[in-house]
Amino acid sequence: MALSHLNLLRPVLYRSLPSVFRIPRLTSSRVSFLPQVSQCPVALPNYARHYATKKSKAKAKGQTAKVNINAALVEDIISLEEVKEDMAAVLAALKDDFSRNLSVRTSPGALDHITVTTKDGKFPLNQLGQISMKSPQLLVVNMTGFPEAMVAVTRALRESSMGLNPEVEGTIIRVPVPKVTREHRENLVKLAKQFSNKSKDSLRRVRSNAISQVKKSKDAVSDDTIHLIEKQIQQMTDSFTADIDKQLATKTKELLG
């Protein structure tokens, strides 16, 4: 009788007791035990915190958000397109200087860029004399057409950045070309750096003039607008400065061989 009553109470006891206990199963013939309920591990979500590495922090710190202003919105203040053209002209002039003045190869065109100052004005050398190449180390300028400009041409050749020492024979000017030595190559590299520094100075002047023009409109537009335009001009300056550095690196590699 008692076993029968316990058997009836078994479901109630099973629900009220923790699952870790063994609850006896009572039957009329024998006592057996219920298997222990195993607690299955529960997969918890991964809340591991991802920390930024030093490399990623440095990269984020070095990046500057680019500003791109609609030119139509600021055309009454300044023409950003004209500012860009002025900066592009500086870069183009540098490339021209590099090609004309910094070459380790001799050719008649190597003297074309030299400007001669006469009493009648300034003229390119190739307009006053006929330039020819007698050998890789000797150029000749025939001044038969303008003998009165002999002195001016000789002076211009000596004062050029090419390290020339012209020799005069009648109306003929012989121009020995320095041998391409390691020292000569290094001197050309120094000259290339001078040209690039002058170009950067010209860029800064364009930038300063542009910002001065923008600030004249500070009473007509908001400070935020002025700031954005100045930032756009600075980004243009940085971009062209980087181009100058690239040109210098390429020319240096070429000159040093």
Side-chain angles (χ1 to χ4, degrees):
M1 189 70 161
L3 289 176
S4 178
H5 288 169
L6 285 174
N7 220 8
L8 293 174
L9 291 173
R10 183 183 58 78
V12 178
L13 292 173
Y14 182 79
R15 287 194 300 269
S16 62
L17 292 177
S19 60
V20 295
F21 292 98
R22 292 182 178 179
I23 302 174
R25 184 190 303 272
L26 302 178
T27 62
S28 58
S29 60
R30 61 180 181 146
V31 177
S32 64
F33 291 92
L34 290 173
Q36 181 178 0
V37 180
S38 62
Q39 293 182 337
C40 299
V42 179
L44 298 177
N46 185 6
Y47 291 109
R49 184 176 178 181
H50 297 280
Y51 293 93
T53 62
K54 291 183 178 179
K55 184 176 181 181
S56 62
K57 287 181 179 179
K59 183 178 180 181
K61 184 178 180 180
Q63 291 178 342
T64 304
K66 290 186 177 181
V67 177
N68 191 8
I69 304 176
N70 189 338
L73 299 178
V74 297
E75 60 184 3
D76 293 335
I77 302 174
I78 191 173
S79 173
L80 294 177
E81 189 62 31
E82 289 182 3
V83 175
K84 185 176 181 180
E85 289 175 358
D86 290 342
M87 292 185 177
V90 172
L91 181 62
L94 176 66
K95 292 179 180 179
D96 187 59
D97 284 335
F98 278 0
S99 62
R100 287 175 176 271
N101 299 329
L102 305 177
S103 176
V104 294
R105 297 179 181 178
T106 304
S107 67
L111 304 180
D112 288 350
H113 71 283
I114 295 179
T115 301
V116 181
T117 302
T118 69
K119 62 180 181 179
D120 297 322
K122 295 182 178 181
F123 301 93
L125 177 57
N126 59 1
Q127 291 186 10
L128 300 176
Q130 183 179 358
I131 306 172
S132 60
M133 184 173 66
K134 293 298 182 181
S135 71
Q137 276 72 49
L138 180 63
L139 295 174
V140 174
V141 182
N142 189 332
M143 295 296 299
T144 304
F146 295 92
E148 66 276 12
M150 286 284 296
V151 175
V153 169
T154 303
R155 181 173 60 250
L157 288 168
R158 285 199 178 98
E159 294 176 353
S160 71
S161 59
M162 300 178 65
L164 304 175
N165 187 23
E167 303 169 356
V168 178
E169 295 181 5
T171 58
I172 299 296
I173 302 177
R174 297 180 179 276
V175 186
V177 179
K179 187 178 179 180
V180 183
T181 61
R182 184 68 181 181
E183 181 181 2
H184 180 60
R185 289 176 180 272
E186 291 175 352
N187 288 333
L188 290 178
V189 170
K190 292 178 181 178
L191 190 58
K193 291 179 180 178
Q194 293 177 10
F195 283 139
S196 63
N197 288 336
K198 288 181 180 179
S199 295
K200 290 181 180 180
D201 290 339
S202 297
L203 275 184
R204 284 190 285 268
R205 283 194 294 272
V206 174
R207 172 191 171 278
S208 297
N209 293 336
I211 289 181
S212 296
Q213 182 179 345
V214 171
K215 288 183 176 180
K216 290 179 181 179
S217 303
K218 64 180 180 179
D219 295 333
V221 296
S222 66
D223 291 340
D224 289 342
T225 301
I226 295 294
H227 177 70
L228 288 175
I229 298 175
E230 290 178 351
K231 197 168 184 179
Q232 177 77 34
I233 294 172
Q234 183 61 52
Q235 287 181 354
M236 292 166 60
T237 306
D238 293 341
S239 176
F240 279 100
T241 300
D243 287 338
I244 289 176
D245 289 336
K246 290 178 182 178
Q247 292 294 323
L248 176 60
T250 302
K251 195 65 180 181
T252 298
K253 184 177 180 180
E254 172 191 328
L255 293 173
L256 294 179

